[in-house]
Amino acid sequence: QKLVVKNNNNVKTYVITPMTVEQPGTPKIQSQHEIPTFSKTPQVTTLNNGIRVISKDSTRGNSIVSIKVNAGTRDVSGDNQGAPHYASKMFFAPTTHRTGLHLISEMNKTGGRFEAQHGREEMVYQVEVARDGVARAMELAVDSVLYSRLHPYDIVPKQAQVAYDVAESKLSPQYQIKEALHKVAFTDQGLGQPLLAYDNHVDKPSLDSINEFMNTHYIPSNIEVIGTNINHEDLVEISKQLLEDEFAFQGLPEAPQPRSTPNIVGGHDSVYETRFSTPGNSKNFMVTGFTAPGRNSTERFATKIIVELLGTGSIDNVDNVTRENSNTELSRLARDAKINHYQAYHFEYSDCGLFGIYTESESINPIPQNTVGTWFRDRFVEASEEQQKKMVEAAINRVITRESVKYDSNIGEHEFLLQHGDTMIFDQFVNHLRAVTPQDVNQQLQQLFGTHAPATVIYGNLN
């Protein structure tokens, strides 16, 4: 290749040799570091005592490791209610090896982030730290989880934290109505158990109930160590040293207790009305819940598309200007029904789910559900095949885009692995979404809305 440079009357010609051509006497440039390649499929190792180690390496920054116990509020009842809430708070309590101050001081020295959370089906103890600090952070986390001393003195400061959580939850109608929906839909059993401790369980927590919950469910066959951005062999070796200690699990059951099959009810018998008013608040809150697929069913992907088709809409009056967002046409219908905000949702659990609509409105009537039904009938069910195909394709693309953005973050990749383990990789998740057809959506609509009347909860300024 030649480069001709003209400068006034001077003309110079340069011969340009591509960098890919080796020059005589010039050594070939060698990369100092091999670029690593990582498998999209997580690696899995089962320790001798049954604990599963699942990891996926990448170059996304810090390593994140979670100790996941497959038990939560779904697995408690009676006097043990509130035990998962307290168990998550005990993550930073004194252990048989360290005082509380010593434990927190050592955690701070790692420069990492330590977090405990409890849900309806799992307890998660998570550390995020630089890769070379995983071993130290894991040792502190295991000490806190498996060797908490559970002394009566340690409960006292946790009472204030639990009481604060409960008090804060009472200020959120969105949280309260979601909890009431689970209570109604699952008849106050299993998944219907509240996430937080009851008021009468805050001041008088039972160490025996916390011990019973942990001794029953914190067993090797119920525990998974899940890591992202970490070498699998390293995580396995760390887990062996910390979690194959026979003393930690001595005398505990070998298998977890079986879970009962959830039974979702609906109809007038499950309407749960209560007064929920805050100063200056004149809105009413309504949510309905239908039986939906769980994570164990591929039908959940069609449900995701239905949720996306319904979308989220709000009518916000700012300086006397009405602003509509998301599904504009459905938002307009919502405005006519005096609905300030609506949102479709799908709660997924291991073996079942809840699907429905949440609304905030100025009145309580069946219009929110009629609005949804009218829109689906007129704009989707009765649309042509070509129109349905375009609507579904657009919804699929939106869901994939949103999930991809989430997955491309360090914590997003970890959350995906927490939820799916080694049962599904992200590419398979995307392929399942792309495979959804208008026929699948129509069939799932019939199953969602045609099985029974929904569980319904209304909160507001009611008589």
Side-chain angles (χ1 to χ4, degrees):
Q1 297 179 0
K2 292 184 178 181
L3 175 65
V4 179
V5 179
K6 294 182 179 180
N7 184 10
N8 294 328
N9 294 325
N10 297 324
V11 179
K12 293 184 177 181
T13 302
Y14 300 88
V15 177
I16 300 177
T17 303
M19 295 181 67
T20 54
V21 177
E22 291 188 30
Q23 299 298 311
T26 302
K28 184 178 180 181
I29 297 176
Q30 297 286 344
S31 174
Q32 293 183 355
H33 303 284
E34 291 291 335
I35 299 176
T37 56
F38 301 109
S39 172
K40 295 182 178 181
T41 304
Q43 295 178 272
V44 183
T45 298
T46 302
L47 303 185
N48 292 331
N49 59 2
I51 293 177
R52 301 176 77 236
V53 180
I54 306 172
S55 74
K56 186 173 180 293
D57 206 349
S58 63
T59 56
R60 296 184 187 273
N62 288 338
S63 298
I64 304 179
V65 179
S66 292
I67 301 172
K68 178 184 177 183
V69 182
N70 290 300
T73 58
R74 174 179 182 172
D75 304 291
V76 298
S77 60
D79 292 338
N80 285 357
Q81 196 284 322
H85 191 181
Y86 268 95
S88 66
K89 297 296 183 185
M90 300 305 291
F91 188 40
F92 305 98
T95 72
T96 56
H97 304 121
R98 295 178 173 93
T99 65
L101 182 61
H102 184 195
L103 179 67
I104 294 176
S105 175
E106 291 297 312
M107 287 180 172
N108 289 334
K109 289 178 182 178
T110 67
R113 173 183 62 83
F114 291 74
E115 179 181 293
Q117 53 185 292
H118 72 281
R120 287 191 157 81
E121 294 189 313
E122 66 283 314
M123 305 286 298
V124 177
Y125 302 90
Q126 189 173 101
V127 299
E128 179 181 358
V129 70
R131 186 182 288 243
D132 59 2
V134 170
R136 180 60 174 158
M138 277 284 289
E139 190 274 323
L140 294 168
V142 170
D143 187 25
S144 183
V145 174
L146 297 183
Y147 296 96
S148 180
R149 70 179 185 178
L150 293 177
H151 192 281
Y153 293 133
D154 303 329
I155 294 292
V156 176
K158 305 304 177 184
Q159 289 177 339
Q161 296 176 19
V162 170
Y164 177 83
D165 291 345
V166 174
E168 282 291 297
S169 72
K170 291 181 179 179
L171 299 178
S172 170
Q174 292 83 4
Y175 176 84
Q176 290 290 329
I177 200 169
K178 183 181 74 172
E179 287 296 281
L181 172 66
H182 282 79
K183 177 184 176 70
V184 170
F186 298 104
T187 60
D188 203 18
Q189 299 292 326
L191 289 169
Q193 289 288 323
L195 281 174
L196 304 183
Y198 287 134
D199 285 345
N200 60 350
H201 282 227
V202 171
D203 297 330
K204 297 180 180 180
S206 168
L207 279 177
D208 291 339
S209 66
I210 301 173
N211 263 313
E212 181 180 345
F213 172 72
M214 297 184 74
N215 288 338
T216 302
H217 300 289
Y218 287 48
I219 57 178
S221 57
N222 232 17
I223 295 176
E224 295 175 330
V225 177
I226 297 177
T228 48
N229 193 30
I230 184 171
N231 178 270
H232 184 71
E233 287 73 21
D234 292 344
L235 185 59
V236 170
E237 185 59 32
I238 294 170
S239 300
K240 284 181 177 179
Q241 294 181 22
L242 297 175
L243 294 169
E244 283 193 338
D245 183 359
E246 295 182 2
F247 177 76
F249 305 105
Q250 190 173 7
L252 300 184
E254 294 183 1
Q257 295 180 348
R259 286 172 171 163
S260 59
T261 302
N263 179 31
I264 300 177
V265 300
H268 296 295
D269 291 340
S270 62
V271 174
Y272 181 87
E273 298 182 358
T274 187
R275 179 176 296 276
F276 189 101
S277 60
T278 57
N281 173 42
S282 60
K283 291 181 181 179
N284 293 304
F285 307 88
M286 179 176 180
V287 66
T288 56
F290 294 87
T291 302
R295 290 192 296 269
N296 62 341
S297 172
T298 56
E299 294 177 348
R300 67 187 175 110
F301 295 99
T303 306
K304 285 182 180 293
I305 301 307
I306 294 173
V307 170
E308 183 64 27
L309 286 169
L310 285 170
T312 300
S314 61
I315 312 298
D316 299 321
N317 292 299
V318 181
D319 298 331
N320 297 319
V321 177
T322 299
R323 300 177 180 178
E324 301 177 358
N325 62 36
S326 190
N327 193 325
T328 306
E329 189 167 10
L330 189 51
S331 292
R332 190 173 295 111
L333 292 173
R335 180 188 60 194
D336 296 339
K338 296 183 178 180
I339 300 173
N340 303 95
H341 175 78
Y342 75 88
Q343 180 175 355
Y345 71 86
H346 179 204
F347 298 133
E348 293 181 10
Y349 300 106
S350 59
D351 53 358
C352 70
L354 277 173
F355 161 85
I357 306 295
Y358 164 80
T359 60
E360 298 176 11
S361 62
E362 299 174 8
S363 62
I364 291 297
N365 51 48
I367 291 179
Q369 305 314 311
N370 292 343
T371 300
V372 174
T374 299
W375 187 88
F376 254 111
R377 183 190 64 212
D378 296 344
R379 305 302 177 206
F380 187 83
V381 176
E382 296 183 2
S384 67
E385 291 184 9
E386 186 63 25
Q387 289 174 323
Q388 287 189 356
K389 183 178 179 180
K390 290 181 179 180
M391 293 172 70
V392 170
E393 183 178 355
I396 289 173
N397 290 335
R398 290 196 298 271
V399 173
I400 291 176
T401 299
R402 185 171 60 250
E403 294 295 333
S404 297
V405 170
K406 188 190 306 181
Y407 182 78
D408 281 340
S409 68
N410 194 15
I411 189 66
E413 182 184 32
H414 189 81
E415 291 295 327
F416 185 88
L417 194 61
L418 263 178
Q419 186 178 72
H420 296 91
D422 59 333
T423 62
M424 183 179 296
I425 64 174
F426 187 73
D427 286 355
Q428 292 172 324
F429 179 84
V430 170
N431 290 337
H432 277 296
L433 285 170
R434 292 197 185 282
V436 175
T437 65
Q439 291 75 19
D440 296 330
V441 172
N442 279 302
Q443 182 177 355
Q444 191 59 25
L445 280 170
Q446 294 178 7
Q447 293 182 6
L448 290 172
F449 292 108
T451 51
H452 54 62
T456 304
V457 180
I458 304 171
Y459 271 17
N461 299 297
L462 307 174
N463 296 324

